[in-house]
């Protein structure tokens, strides 16, 4: 016999059976259904009084800048193994009119002026001090910009310690840090919003005269080196013009269609005259090897181009608003909407892009550079990434743009919270 005593097993107590009605198990949503849900929630969370055309204009401006940089900024692998910057505009001058579409910075400053003026007006109505308002506005720029600058500072240190060629480091740093000049100018204009709010139209005229005078001084004193330094004043003055027009818009200006038509035709005609008879380049962005750039700093031709863009943006307000506004359901209580309309899908994309606008602008060149450098590290070179730009290069570069987008999405997801764009999570994850 053994000391182990066999005992009957203890009966397991079963839970009581439910007596009430059974709850249906929710069906798992497909990805397509989840997209419909997100689009519907973003549309429902948008205040009815919000002018969606403003967000669409900003989204179009950001998209144009990103695509423009990706299509005209090349990185060429030299025989010595280092990288240098290049552009198809330097090899194919006939592509200059394309920059009239892919250089929409004036639209961004126009929207910024309108939003800034309305924000300042609301702050004054609440009794908020200028310092507090300015600190809040600048924080939205400084937080993502600081994270961006520190990250690329670490990249620079790594490249130096790895013994990377000076030409390569210069090329990468120049292209990566180039978006910061834009944010610096934008921050300066935000700080000047109280003045713009009081006298936007007069300041816009004065800024146009400053740009015209400095451009004329370039012709009169062509041999003087100091004039190039003085013309740097065109950077804030040139972009102050559309920013002021945005403030005028916020104050109730441009209510008549003829004002927008006058800006479009007058600005476009002045730009054409300056290009045809004034000696200004047709490209609205800088071209490698060119003696004059319309963008660095802005010229009178660039200001005229901005006036034309302002007129076009004002004319497109109503159509853009209708494009992203779905008709209200007849009876939402009895027939709840389960599928988003195309307008609601488009508005969701616009809203999400606006939530991460600064992040997208800062990191879009990094997405292109990452896609360019990684294959080199693996010993591969590709047309459209590392070769000299030509017609075939442009076609190949268009094929690389989806890759740039994927890399940008990854970078944007990693650094989005630095912009304070957490609000979209609450909408998506409800």
């Amino acid at each position: 016999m053994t000391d182990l005593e066999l005992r009957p097993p203890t009966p397991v107590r079963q839970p009581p059976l439910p007596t009430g009605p059974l709850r249906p198990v929710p069906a798992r949503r497909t990805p397509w259904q989840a997209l419909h849900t997100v689009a519907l929630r973003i549309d429902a969370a948008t205040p009815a009084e919000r002018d969606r055309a403003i967000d669409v204009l900003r989204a179009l401006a950001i998209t144009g800048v990103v695509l423009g940089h990706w299509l005209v900024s090349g990185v060429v692998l030299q025989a010595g193994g280092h990288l240098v910057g290049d552009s198809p505009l330097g090899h194919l001058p006939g592509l200059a009119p394309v920059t009239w579409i892919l250089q929409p910075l004036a639209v961004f400053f126009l929207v910024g002026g309108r939003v800034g003026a309305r924000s300042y007006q609301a702050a004054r109505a609440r009794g908020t001090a200028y310092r507090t308002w300015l600190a809040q506005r600048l924080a939205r720029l400084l937080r993502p910009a600081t994270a961006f600058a520190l990250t690329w500072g670490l990249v620079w240190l790594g490249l130096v310690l790895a013994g990377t060629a000076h030409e390569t480091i210069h090329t990468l740093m120049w292209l990566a840090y180039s978006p910061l000049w834009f944010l610096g100018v934008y921050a300066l204009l935000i700080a000047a919003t109280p003045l713009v709010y009081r006298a936007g139209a007069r300041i816009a005229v004065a800024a146009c005269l400053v740009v015209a005078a400095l451009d004329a001084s370039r012709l009169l004193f062509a041999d003087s080196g100091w004039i190039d330094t003085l013309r740097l004043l065109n950077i804030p003055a040139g972009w102050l013009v559309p920013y002021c027009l945005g403030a005028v818009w916020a104050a109730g200006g441009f209510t008549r269609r003829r004002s927008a038509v006058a800006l479009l035709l007058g600005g476009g005609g002045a730009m054409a005259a300056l290009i045809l008879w004034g000696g200004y380049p047709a490209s609205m962005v800088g071209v490698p090897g060119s003696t004059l750039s319309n963008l660095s700093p802005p010229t009178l031709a660039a200001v005229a181009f901005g006036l034309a863009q302002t007129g076009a943006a004002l004319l497109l307000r109503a159509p853009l608003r209708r494009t992203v506004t779905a008709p209200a359901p007849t009876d939402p209580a009895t027939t709840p909407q389960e599928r988003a309309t195309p307008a609601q899908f488009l508005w969701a994309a616009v809203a999400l892009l606006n939530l991460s606008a600064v992040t997208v602008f800062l990191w879009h060149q990094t997405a292109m550079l990452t896609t360019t450098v990684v294959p080199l590290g693996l010993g591969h070179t590709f047309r459209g990434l590392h070769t000299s730009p030509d017609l075939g290069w442009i076609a190949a570069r268009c094929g690389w743009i989806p890759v740039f987008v994927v890399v940008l999405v990854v970078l944007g997801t990693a650094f989005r919270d630095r912009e304070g764009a957490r609000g979209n999570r609450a909408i998506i994850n409800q």
Side-chain angles (χ1 to χ4, degrees):
M1 296 291 294
T2 176
D3 294 334
L4 179 61
E5 182 179 1
L6 299 176
R7 296 180 181 179
T10 304
V12 179
R13 179 174 295 179
Q14 299 291 335
L17 294 174
T19 55
L22 295 177
R23 294 182 179 180
V25 178
R28 169 173 274 181
R29 294 184 301 173
T30 65
W32 183 241
Q33 291 172 328
L35 287 176
H36 277 279
T37 301
V38 170
L40 290 172
R41 285 173 176 166
I42 292 176
D43 184 70
T46 304
E49 65 276 10
R50 187 177 186 89
D51 188 353
R52 300 188 180 194
I54 304 300
D55 299 277
V56 178
L57 286 172
R58 186 192 289 114
L60 289 175
I62 296 170
T63 303
V65 170
V66 170
L67 290 178
H69 281 164
W70 285 349
L71 288 173
V72 304
S73 298
V75 179
V76 179
L77 180 64
Q78 295 292 311
H82 56 268
L83 299 175
V84 297
D86 204 346
S87 171
L89 296 174
H91 303 270
L92 303 167
L95 295 176
V98 176
T99 63
W100 303 348
I101 301 174
L102 299 178
Q103 199 281 80
L105 285 175
V107 176
F108 196 99
F109 283 106
L110 171 73
V111 173
R114 185 184 189 278
V115 173
R118 290 176 67 89
S119 173
Y120 178 69
Q121 182 182 24
R124 291 186 62 191
R126 294 192 304 267
T128 303
Y130 167 70
R131 286 185 178 181
T132 303
W133 173 83
L134 181 62
Q136 293 172 347
R137 299 289 295 180
L138 293 183
R140 300 177 184 178
L141 300 179
L142 293 178
R143 281 196 301 263
T146 301
F148 171 82
L150 291 176
T151 301
W152 267 102
L154 294 175
V155 173
W156 172 84
L157 181 60
L159 292 173
V160 171
L161 294 177
T164 307
H166 170 74
E167 294 85 355
T168 297
I169 295 178
H170 179 269
T171 299
L172 295 180
M173 294 299 109
W174 175 260
L175 290 174
Y177 277 118
S178 58
L180 288 181
W181 75 263
F182 169 86
L183 291 186
V185 175
Y186 192 57
L188 182 63
L189 297 185
I190 290 176
T193 298
L195 296 176
V196 173
Y197 175 75
R198 294 185 183 94
R202 284 175 288 177
I203 295 176
V205 173
C208 287
L209 294 177
V210 168
V211 175
L214 291 176
D215 274 14
S217 65
R218 176 184 61 85
L219 298 176
L220 295 175
F221 306 99
D223 297 331
S224 301
W226 58 269
I227 196 62
D228 291 332
T229 302
L230 188 61
R231 286 188 66 243
L232 293 177
L233 292 174
N234 276 3
I235 297 177
W239 301 121
L240 183 59
V241 175
Y243 193 85
C244 288
L245 294 179
V248 173
W249 183 9
F254 306 123
T255 55
R256 296 183 178 181
R257 182 180 177 87
R258 63 184 181 185
S259 300
V261 173
L263 284 171
L264 175 61
L265 297 181
M271 182 191 74
L274 290 169
I275 292 173
L276 293 174
W277 301 297
Y280 288 85
S283 173
M284 287 298 122
V285 300
V287 178
S290 176
T291 57
L292 178 64
S293 168
N294 277 321
L295 193 58
S296 303
T299 63
L300 190 59
V303 172
F305 177 59
L307 294 177
Q309 286 183 312
T310 297
L314 293 173
L315 290 173
L316 289 174
R317 285 176 296 177
L320 292 177
R321 191 181 301 115
R322 289 193 298 267
T323 302
V324 295
T325 304
T330 55
D331 191 359
T334 57
T335 57
Q337 188 176 0
E338 297 181 356
R339 298 179 64 84
T341 64
Q344 289 170 321
F345 270 123
L346 187 58
W347 170 243
V350 168
L352 292 177
L353 179 56
N354 275 272
L355 283 171
S356 301
V358 178
T359 300
V360 169
F361 182 80
L362 283 172
W363 292 96
H364 74 277
Q365 288 287 67
T366 303
M368 184 268 288
L369 294 174
T370 301
T371 308
T372 302
V373 171
V374 168
L376 290 177
L378 300 175
H380 301 290
T381 58
F382 297 99
R383 194 173 193 180
L385 287 182
H386 314 107
T387 57
S388 182
D390 54 18
L391 283 176
W393 183 94
I394 295 174
R397 175 53 68 99
C398 291
W400 283 106
I401 285 180
V403 182
F404 297 164
V405 171
V406 172
V407 178
L408 180 58
V409 169
V410 174
L411 292 170
T413 302
F415 292 95
R416 180 184 56 194
D417 288 345
R418 302 306 304 167
E419 191 175 345
R422 298 176 180 174
N424 53 356
R425 292 182 179 178
I427 298 173
I428 295 173
N429 297 330
Q430 283 179 352

